[in-house]
Amino acid sequence: MDYADEISKRRTFAIISHPDAGKTTLTEKFLLFGGAIQVAGAVKSNKIRKSTSSDFMDIERQRGISVATSVMGFDYNGLKINLLDTPGHKDFAEDTYRTLTAVDSVILVVDCVKGVEEQTLRLMEVCRMRKTPVIIFVNKLDREGKNPFELLDELETKLNIHVQPLSWPISMGTSFKGVYNLYNNSLYLFRPGGVTVATDVIEIQGIADPVLDQQLGDYAVQLRQDVELIAGTHNPFDVNAYLSGDLAPVFFGSAINNFGVKELLDTFTGIAPTPGSRPTNQRIVQADEKDFTGFVFKIHANLDPRHRDRIAFIRVCSGKFERNKMFLHVRLGKNIRFTSPASFLGARKSIVDEAFPGDVIGLYDTGNFKIGDTLTEGEKLMFQGIPTFSPEVFKELVNMDPGKSKQLAKGIEQLTDEGVAQLFTQQQGNRRIVGTVGQLQFDVLQYRLEHEYNAKCRFDPMNIYKACWITAEDKLEMDKFCRFKSDRIATDKDGNIVFLAESEWVLRNMIEANPGIEFHFTSEFKREMQDVKK
Ligand code: G4P
């Protein structure tokens, strides 16, 4: 098979949802269709349900599972599908955001009873920012949910994207009859607990077909009205609007009953984009370029505390990754060879000899990688758009065992490389400040520092609202500002200067009062800085 065929065979995507909307259930059904698993219940989600400190072991156990399910590869209809898992827990949201940088499209699951929830909004924001094509699956139609028209309205207004139903539910809850496929004019009858079988799919000669009345009785009348209304408000489905991230097709179904799932998967494989081009700090890299490029979007510690090695997950962006070939680690300026890169099929891990654009490989790492690192065949470029969001919770790291300060320093250094938290050093007093997106991260950090690095610590709350990087054209002005706010100045791990604002009000005031100082809120800025420093 030639290189272009390998690329066109690949679909790399993530399923995202607010916790409990049905992401794990849908993932499992996809894997069943793809033959990657044989029985339901085989996929343990990467979600962490509880967040109290007594659940450390649970967290660790679940983290272990999440390594195995980080990437689930399976074959379907001659295509190679890479499904990237995302954690459900909101404290791991940053992990999810970064995973979204490694996919080409997304399936968003929404619970028909709850509608658009908080996590859905945030995840969708990231997709919109990146113009990622999105298909929406409205789940749990076997329950009494919101009116489907209201749901469409809610999706459109809250998610700020045009939506277009490609299937339409016929009633819901206990009287749920099935869905009418608006894309290919067929009727799918609902059979609780089972897979849709051939006799449940009925070809219809248009919405006036009397077969509808035979099959649905009085529900046919409502369906006709609904379909007429949809036809009046939507143009025929435009696949290009979907591919450009402007229009999200919507499907209805019930993941637990395996209803509407195959239709979703078939449409997804039919319209989802193949691996696309990606921006770097130098130029746009096209997937079909001959030379290999890829970037690290996730780092996962191994669970064995005796070996502190980790797995860095790389998304192949162009060319062919080959085992034992030398690649340039651009940030370190160092050539590295990988002897046992791993690929994933279902929950099984195996050594791969080669990988193509869209694929994700796991590289064993002893501390060379940070999130966002780029590998190439020699070209000095860095992939962009791998966001680090400003942390939301800040705490001071306090050493509880003076004899183990080296272990603590090394531990926090390595764990923050994994992207679970950001580390800042406050200039005054050399205090170490850890910023995360949620409380759970601190529990995980404290546990791992103790068990993997033998270092005991405590995290003390701090009065910080936001950390933002600051720069200025005029060095004198920068020095003046840093002196003036010296108790609020810190450096990040790369030595960049950071302003720690205690409140939104202070931050706004500082921005207004210091036009010569630029305040930055994303890590993309850091990447630019790294380039300047080189
Ligand atoms: P998540 O990964 O998005 O967090 O959701 P998950 O698939 O774990 O589903 C959350 C709950 O919703 C599960 O129930 C699951 O069985 C249920 N669910 C998923 N799809 C459907 C559906 O189509 N209809 C209905 N009625 N329920 C659905 P649970 O009780 O929390 O867990 P479990 O004991 O069933 O595993």
Side-chain angles (χ1 to χ4, degrees):
M1 184 176 296
D2 78 8
Y3 180 63
D5 286 341
E6 290 287 356
I7 298 177
S8 66
K9 261 177 68 176
R10 277 157 173 85
R11 303 286 183 280
T12 301
F13 77 111
I15 302 181
I16 54 175
S17 76
H18 189 89
D20 279 343
K23 177 174 75 75
T24 312
T25 312
L26 186 65
T27 302
E28 184 164 279
K29 302 300 182 212
F30 275 8
L31 294 182
L32 281 167
F33 281 121
I37 54 170
Q38 268 67 47
V39 287
V43 179
K44 293 285 173 284
S45 82
N46 176 337
K47 70 184 181 187
I48 293 169
R49 284 175 189 270
K50 302 175 188 115
S51 58
T52 59
S53 41
S54 60
D55 289 313
F56 285 143
M57 282 323 292
D58 211 30
I59 292 170
E60 285 306 293
R61 191 176 51 75
Q62 296 189 40
R63 281 172 42 84
I65 291 159
S66 73
V67 173
T69 56
S70 281
V71 193
M72 290 160 279
F74 60 95
D75 295 319
Y76 186 74
N77 280 349
L79 299 176
K80 182 166 190 300
I81 316 281
N82 294 310
L83 168 51
L84 274 53
D85 197 17
T86 54
H89 198 290
K90 83 169 182 17
D91 287 4
F92 286 83
E94 210 171 329
D95 201 5
T96 301
Y97 299 150
R98 279 193 297 254
T99 297
L100 292 181
T101 65
V103 300
D104 298 301
S105 71
V106 151
I107 291 180
L108 172 67
V109 185
V110 174
D111 182 331
C112 75
V113 183
K114 299 196 173 137
V116 174
E117 296 173 84
E118 190 199 330
Q119 273 292 97
T120 328
L121 283 173
R122 292 180 123 208
L123 290 164
M124 192 58 208
E125 228 169 84
V126 179
C127 293
R128 251 199 336 266
M129 222 164 70
R130 308 179 49 79
K131 289 262 169 203
T132 309
V134 176
I135 296 180
I136 300 174
F137 182 68
V138 178
N139 191 25
K140 307 196 186 181
L141 264 289
D142 57 322
R143 291 198 177 160
E144 303 293 340
K146 298 188 179 185
N147 173 298
F149 282 109
E150 272 173 35
L151 260 171
L152 285 187
D153 249 8
E154 186 177 328
L155 290 169
E156 197 149 279
T157 47
K158 287 198 179 163
L159 300 181
N160 196 8
I161 185 168
H162 294 300
V163 297
Q164 177 156 7
L166 292 191
S167 75
W168 194 251
I170 302 151
S171 190
M172 57 172 62
T174 44
S175 59
F176 182 46
K177 293 282 169 270
V179 294
Y180 183 75
N181 190 319
L182 297 156
Y183 197 46
N184 63 10
N185 282 325
S186 36
L187 177 68
Y188 293 75
L189 294 173
F190 177 59
R191 167 201 293 266
V195 186
T196 311
V197 293
T199 50
D200 298 335
V201 183
I202 296 160
E203 289 290 324
I204 305 285
Q205 303 301 319
I207 193 72
D209 197 326
V211 174
L212 278 180
D213 302 278
Q214 288 158 22
Q215 293 290 342
L216 301 172
D218 291 347
Y219 290 103
V221 180
Q222 182 68 46
L223 175 65
R224 287 196 181 102
Q225 284 175 5
D226 289 355
V227 170
E228 202 176 318
L229 198 57
I230 295 163
T233 46
H234 293 276
N235 294 323
F237 177 60
D238 175 4
V239 74
N240 289 322
Y242 155 71
L243 290 172
S244 60
D246 295 317
L247 175 73
V250 181
F251 288 83
F252 292 84
S254 168
I256 195 99
N257 289 294
N258 213 343
F259 186 76
V261 176
K262 187 168 181 303
E263 297 71 59
L264 172 69
L265 184 57
D266 286 340
T267 310
F268 164 78
T269 48
I271 65 173
T274 54
S277 58
R278 265 151 210 276
T280 72
N281 59 348
Q282 303 294 330
R283 62 185 184 84
I284 305 275
V285 168
Q286 306 294 338
D288 59 2
E289 288 180 20
K290 207 173 85 322
D291 285 350
F292 164 76
T293 61
F295 68 89
V296 177
F297 65 93
K298 178 182 181 118
I299 294 179
H300 215 302
N302 255 345
L303 285 181
D304 185 349
R306 285 163 304 171
H307 301 110
R308 222 173 278 134
D309 54 345
R310 318 181 286 181
I311 299 178
F313 289 89
I314 308 250
R315 146 97 195 202
V316 179
C317 297
S318 68
K320 183 160 82 165
F321 176 91
E322 286 172 84
R323 184 155 86 101
N324 285 325
K325 188 169 173 177
M326 281 287 190
F327 291 117
L328 174 67
H329 184 311
V330 177
R331 181 176 56 85
L332 299 181
K334 185 164 123 181
N335 286 311
I336 309 183
R337 182 200 311 273
F338 301 94
T339 52
S340 40
S343 83
F344 307 83
L345 183 74
R348 293 188 303 278
K349 218 166 37 195
S350 55
I351 303 272
V352 273
D353 289 319
E354 52 183 34
F356 294 91
D359 285 344
V360 170
I361 40 177
L363 302 179
Y364 290 95
D365 173 41
T366 48
N368 280 321
F369 286 118
K370 279 189 191 183
I371 301 280
D373 276 347
T374 299
L375 288 179
T376 70
E377 293 200 25
E379 192 175 352
K380 290 194 177 116
L381 50 79
M382 296 281 260
F383 282 96
Q384 295 196 302
I386 303 148
T388 298
F389 287 72
S390 188
E392 287 167 18
V393 191
F394 296 87
K395 295 194 180 192
E396 181 181 357
L397 174 70
V398 182
N399 187 3
M400 299 291 283
D401 181 352
K404 296 275 163 54
S405 55
K406 265 199 185 144
Q407 283 88 332
L408 184 66
K410 184 170 178 190
I412 197 70
E413 191 71 26
Q414 291 199 347
L415 293 182
T416 46
D417 275 354
E418 280 179 32
V420 284
Q422 295 182 54
L423 178 66
F424 305 101
T425 309
Q426 199 169 17
Q427 288 198 327
Q428 278 190 355
N430 241 0
R431 292 157 94 193
R432 277 174 297 194
I433 299 169
V434 175
T436 70
V437 290
Q439 172 58 36
L440 183 54
Q441 305 285 19
F442 290 102
D443 297 344
V444 173
L445 279 175
Q446 198 173 21
Y447 176 88
R448 291 187 58 195
L449 284 167
E450 189 169 340
H451 288 81
E452 293 171 33
Y453 296 88
N454 198 17
K456 278 203 167 56
C457 71
R458 189 180 81 213
F459 287 104
D460 288 353
M462 295 189 80
N463 176 29
I464 300 173
Y465 158 73
K466 211 174 213 91
C468 43
W469 291 273
I470 51 172
T471 52
E473 299 235 329
D474 182 350
K475 189 176 174 311
L476 287 178
E477 195 151 348
M478 183 77 162
D479 289 346
K480 197 172 122 207
F481 181 81
C482 290
R483 264 199 314 279
F484 167 55
K485 296 300 294 177
S486 61
D487 58 330
R488 288 274 153 190
I489 296 294
T491 47
D492 69 6
K493 285 177 79 172
D494 300 316
N496 299 310
I497 299 177
V498 175
F499 172 60
L500 308 169
E502 53 266 62
S503 69
E504 194 181 347
W505 185 83
V506 169
L507 182 57
R508 224 176 315 122
N509 264 318
M510 284 301 130
I511 294 173
E512 270 170 29
N514 297 280
I517 306 280
E518 269 198 77
F519 295 75
H520 310 268
F521 299 91
T522 74
S523 57
E524 227 46 324
F525 143 78
K526 277 171 74 181
R527 211 160 288 284
E528 287 155 25
M529 286 290 289
Q530 280 168 10
D531 302 335
V532 173
K533 280 183 180 174
K534 273 189 178 172

